[in-house]
Amino acid sequence: MRAFPLTPSAASELVPLFRHVLSLSALRRGERVLIHTDSVFNPIYTGACFAAALELEAEASTLTVSAARAERASRFLQRAWEEHDLVVDMVSVGVHAYSSTLNRALEHGTRILRVAEPLDVLQVLLPDPTVRERSREGARRLTEAHEVHITSASGTDLRVQKTGRPGIAYYGMADEPGRWDQWPSGLVACAPHEHSAEGTLVLEPGDVFLGWGLMLRSPIRCEFAGGAIRAIEGGAEAAQLRQALAANDPRAGVLGVVGWGTDPRARWHRILDRLPHPGGIMDTETFAGNLLLVLGSNTSVSLGGQNATAAHINIDCRQHSIYLDGEAVVTHGLLSNDRVVGGT
């Protein structure tokens, strides 16, 4: 649930931020923008986005859905998304990253921008041209690669195959037809072949289970075979992971997404700071040199994955090395040939 109790005066800061980011997302005069939100998401965000769109002389509309129940696909909602050039997705529940509504809208050519972080995160991680180019270059190299090999000093030795699967760059701008992105964002990702993950993943204290807002206190050792986790060793947090996988279907343990963060401004520990407002998911995920792993779903139209499941367990790790066909792109948590590390 992502509702931020901002004061009305925050709108004076949010409107120019939204105007800037909507411009970067190629919103032009006369284009149609839909602000999609729910009944508990902070209306100051939607109002500021609406005002910014009007300042850019776009045709703006707002669609509010109920947050009390999981949103279901409907022809009405699908048509609304497809009939707009840009959708700004601001909901507190039911994120659409892998939904049929989102995928069909992207195939139709709609640009989609997700916004859900508190004001301080939006300010610190405004879309940046350097992060954009770093992400695009990483995606190019990932697209060309056949194998991703991940290692760490603590014992990780994990390989996945991805021949034919695209590498995707995320940089906070929905600036091309059929593109999904999130403000803020700075990362590179791909959906490896679902049966290809083989080897060992060792998670260390300080690594993060993102969706749970959990920073590890003790190590977890995961063994992969045939694409999925087959054994988990560790303490209480390892037991929590075993329980989460057991509560879903067998596809929950498949390694669905692999990637790395590209934004040196991101703050790894922001997710632990509950004041003034909780947030920091994207700080952790986009932290420069972060290893991003997702267990479960990867069926977004852009990633091209085939693991359809309700499970989506996002794991973020520091101090790992990532190799594409033997060439390092991240070395011990540092972007290779780019020795800039994010803040603490």
Side-chain angles (χ1 to χ4, degrees):
M1 188 81 55
R2 311 300 303 279
F4 312 118
L6 300 177
T7 63
S9 62
S12 63
E13 298 178 70
L14 279 167
V15 172
L17 292 179
F18 269 108
R19 185 173 62 242
H20 177 66
V21 174
L22 293 179
S23 296
L24 293 176
S25 291
L27 185 63
R28 300 291 181 260
R29 178 181 181 180
E31 282 198 310
R32 295 164 297 176
V33 55
L34 177 67
I35 301 161
H36 180 251
T37 187
D38 64 35
S39 53
V40 301
F41 199 90
N42 195 312
I44 294 175
Y45 271 56
T46 55
C49 184
F50 190 90
L54 292 181
E55 288 184 3
L56 293 171
E57 300 186 74
E59 296 181 13
S61 303
T62 300
L63 175 61
T64 303
V65 299
S66 172
R69 59 187 180 189
E71 187 175 308
R72 298 175 181 174
S74 70
R75 282 190 287 179
F76 166 74
L77 186 62
Q78 190 70 59
R79 187 166 58 250
W81 282 45
E82 291 178 359
E83 288 179 351
H84 287 80
D85 301 290
L86 174 67
V87 172
V88 182
D89 191 21
M90 293 191 283
V91 293
S92 54
V93 293
V95 177
H96 296 97
Y98 298 96
S99 72
S100 61
T101 299
L102 179 138
N103 282 331
R104 290 172 185 170
L106 292 176
E107 290 173 334
H108 191 76
T110 302
R111 311 190 304 278
I112 302 172
L113 184 68
R114 166 82 174 151
V115 184
E117 289 285 337
L119 178 58
D120 72 286
V121 176
L122 299 183
Q123 290 172 321
V124 170
L125 301 182
L126 268 174
D128 178 80
T130 301
V131 172
R132 179 177 184 266
E133 292 311 308
R134 183 182 290 137
S135 299
R136 293 182 70 174
E137 173 61 15
R140 182 191 66 78
R141 296 174 67 181
L142 188 55
T143 296
E144 294 173 353
H146 299 283
E147 180 184 76
V148 182
H149 182 202
I150 304 164
T151 67
S152 76
S154 59
T156 293
D157 188 359
L158 180 65
R159 295 176 188 267
V160 299
Q161 309 303 316
K162 59 145 306 289
T163 302
R165 295 281 176 90
I168 305 299
Y170 301 97
Y171 44 79
M173 312 175 202
D175 55 353
E176 299 172 353
R179 176 174 173 78
W180 181 93
D181 212 319
Q182 180 164 347
W183 168 32
S185 198
L187 58 96
V188 177
C190 75
H193 293 293
E194 285 73 18
H195 300 289
S196 70
E198 298 282 346
T200 303
L201 171 69
V202 178
L203 307 178
E204 286 292 309
D207 291 342
V208 175
F209 283 95
L210 201 59
W212 302 339
L214 173 64
M215 187 167 282
L216 294 185
R217 298 180 180 179
S218 58
I220 299 177
R221 184 181 183 91
C222 303
E223 298 294 339
F224 285 82
I229 288 182
R230 304 303 178 187
I232 301 170
E233 299 176 0
E237 294 154 333
Q240 182 175 342
L241 177 58
R242 282 194 295 268
Q243 291 168 2
L245 294 179
N248 288 286
D249 66 48
R251 294 167 293 184
V254 170
L255 184 54
V257 179
V258 173
W260 65 89
T262 61
D263 195 334
R265 303 168 300 171
R267 304 157 296 178
W268 185 259
H269 292 86
R270 174 61 180 86
I271 196 169
L272 298 181
D273 184 4
R274 315 312 291 175
L275 297 173
H277 307 301
I281 284 178
M282 295 310 295
D283 272 278
T284 301
E285 190 164 73
T286 68
F287 187 89
N290 159 55
L291 167 65
L292 163 69
L293 302 170
V294 174
L295 301 176
S297 58
N298 65 358
T299 54
S300 76
V301 67
S302 55
L303 288 170
Q306 299 178 7
N307 193 47
T309 174
H312 190 81
I313 300 173
N314 192 317
I315 305 170
D316 293 271
C317 318
R318 299 174 70 176
Q319 308 304 322
H320 278 70
S321 298
I322 304 173
Y323 301 87
L324 304 182
D325 296 338
E327 182 178 358
V329 289
V330 175
T331 304
H332 303 304
L334 297 176
L335 293 171
S336 301
N337 302 316
D338 188 351
R339 298 299 191 185
V340 180
V341 179
T344 59

